[in-house]
Amino acid sequence: MYDIDAIRRDFPILARQVNGKPLVYLDNGASAQKPQVVIDAVTQAYSLEYANVHRGLHTLSTIATEKYEAVRGTVARFLNASNPNNVIFTSGTTEAINLVSYAWAAPRFAAGDEIVLTVLEHHANIVPWHFLRERQGVVLKWVECDANGAVDPQAVIDAIGPRTRLVAVTQMSNVTGTRVDVAAICAGARQKGVPVLVDGSQGAVHGPVDVQAIGCDFYAITGHKLYGPSGSGALYVAPERMGELRPFLGGGDMIETVTRDTVTYARPPLMLEAGTPSIVSQTGFGAALTYLMGVGMPAIAEHEAALRDYARQEFSKRNWVKVQGDTPDKGAIFSFTLDGAAHAHDISTVLDQRGIAVRAGTHCALPLLQHLGVGATCRASFGMYNTTDDVDALMSGLDLCRDLFG
Ligand code: PLP
């Protein structure tokens, strides 16, 4: 059974008040709160086990290295990757996608080669490809979503032409919560011989992930949305792609030897992890993933689906709230505007006065908002510790906004 009270007790921040009201944290899409086990892992790492990794033979360095390297295995288990060495540590999804762009795509793509994207993408899965467009003449091909925010996987597959070298697609929109059938896209792309990068920033938070079943070539996750520390994350690279990566950042730890005239590189994943990494953040990330696997991702998905359905029902009672995009299986992420003049920032400020944290803005997804024909929206994004009481608090906050702004 999903013991929501016990789960809430695991997150100390949920006991605090904001502006004199109990915190209702609905900004999980931006970053999630941390359970005590993560805070403890970080505290222990700094208080008792801190040293640089991969460098020293002394006791603390050995402990730090063992703990840090063990996280690779934890990430592999979380994603069902067959080998921990297919996991490259990154500071988050942004770095992971930039890594694919610099270390894999840039040396291989020529002018006129195409990358297929959907209009749902976060800027982190757009701008690195714009770099290739600007610098190398790569062409970006866009697949639209329908009025409900849905992307037809067949439309993505059909967009793959003879010059397509990569499909880069999100598993879940951070704006509308739309799920994309990335497994179907990977199957179709594979038949056409085209690799697929999946942005799992949101998708991995809201349900179980199996990169082998998805059949993707690259899968990026970010630790701070997975209830871990900021500055942590990972890129899964399929075995057949691993040998195709070229060095990205140069520096310590990624080399085998360096002379005045030559350099040879360590094998991946270390070749892609130059310099002192986010040692403690990754250690905390491992604790977060272990915690999530302990609760069970299927159970979290079920809990959030119930919250989504309840929130959808409550939104639908308020015809003056316009929710952007709705598909039956979407994640519990709702971006909305209110009829009338109220700006998203004003709504967010009123909600904040009641202790309710939502995001207001354009959510690093300007092409999607342009496609939907909206400017700034408010976004309520639910996580594993949210409850129907949180939905009720949001709704009564919105009712107040309606009274205030007309
Ligand atoms: N992709 C999606 C879908 C996101 O929601 C986010 C963060 O909001 C990112 C990528 C970027 O993640 P990060 O800033 O942690 O690198």
Side-chain angles (χ1 to χ4, degrees), residues 89-176:
F89 286 136
T90 67
S91 61
T93 300
T94 302
E95 187 185 308
I97 298 175
N98 276 276
L99 191 158
V100 176
S101 167
Y102 280 93
W104 182 78
R108 305 167 67 81
F109 291 11
D113 284 348
E114 296 165 358
I115 299 173
V116 170
L117 304 169
T118 81
V119 75
L120 297 184
E121 305 314 314
H122 184 281
H123 295 167
N125 197 24
I126 299 175
V127 182
W129 311 122
H130 269 310
F131 288 169
L132 295 192
R133 181 189 58 74
E134 289 178 343
R135 294 169 193 168
Q136 299 180 210
V138 167
V139 175
L140 307 189
K141 264 178 110 173
W142 293 90
V143 177
E144 310 296 341
C145 63
D146 69 15
N148 295 323
V151 166
D152 177 3
Q154 192 57 45
V156 179
I157 297 163
D158 290 345
I160 299 173
R163 292 298 303 269
T164 304
R165 305 294 305 275
L166 177 71
V167 175
V169 59
T170 190
Q171 192 176 22
M172 182 181 288
S173 162
N174 63 306
V175 178
T176 57

Side-chain angles (χ1 to χ4, degrees), residues 1-11 14 28 35 205-208 227 291-307 332 382-388 390:
M1 204 199 66
Y2 197 77
D3 188 345
I4 185 66
D5 293 332
I7 285 168
R8 286 183 67 81
R9 279 195 300 275
D10 288 340
F11 289 80
L14 297 180
N28 298 284
V205 181
H206 302 290
Y227 308 95
Y291 174 77
L292 287 174
M293 289 188 279
V295 175
M297 290 309 293
I300 293 170
E302 201 180 312
H303 172 74
E304 291 185 4
L307 276 180
F382 294 82
M384 65 184 293
Y385 38 62
N386 289 121
T387 63
T388 52
D390 294 338

Side-chain angles (χ1 to χ4, degrees), residues 13 18 20 118 122 151 163 184 190 222-223 238 336:
I13 202 168
V18 169
T118 81
H122 184 281
V151 166
R163 292 298 303 269
R190 186 163 295 265
T222 199
F336 55 88

Side-chain angles (χ1 to χ4, degrees), residues 201-275:
S201 302
Q202 301 288 341
V205 181
H206 302 290
V209 176
D210 181 336
V211 287
Q212 297 185 73
I214 292 171
C216 54
D217 297 81
F218 304 101
Y219 189 96
I221 52 175
T222 199
H224 67 99
K225 295 188 205 288
L226 283 159
Y227 308 95
S230 56
S232 65
L235 173 71
Y236 160 80
V237 181
E240 58 271 37
R241 296 275 94 79
M242 208 67 184
E244 297 175 354
L245 296 169
R246 297 289 161 264
F248 171 34
L249 298 172
D253 230 24
M254 52 78 76
I255 54 89
E256 203 172 65
T257 61
V258 178
T259 70
R260 291 184 186 211
D261 303 317
T262 60
V263 54
T264 58
Y265 303 110
R267 292 166 62 82
L270 286 188
M271 181 185 81
L272 282 311
E273 297 174 358

Side-chain angles (χ1 to χ4, degrees), residues 8 14 23-26 307 310 356 382-383 385-396:
R8 286 183 67 81
L14 297 180
L23 169 64
V24 176
Y25 189 76
L26 300 179
L307 276 180
Y310 181 64
I356 304 166
F382 294 82
Y385 38 62
N386 289 121
T387 63
T388 52
D389 286 349
D390 294 338
V391 177
D392 291 340
L394 172 65
M395 296 301 153
S396 76

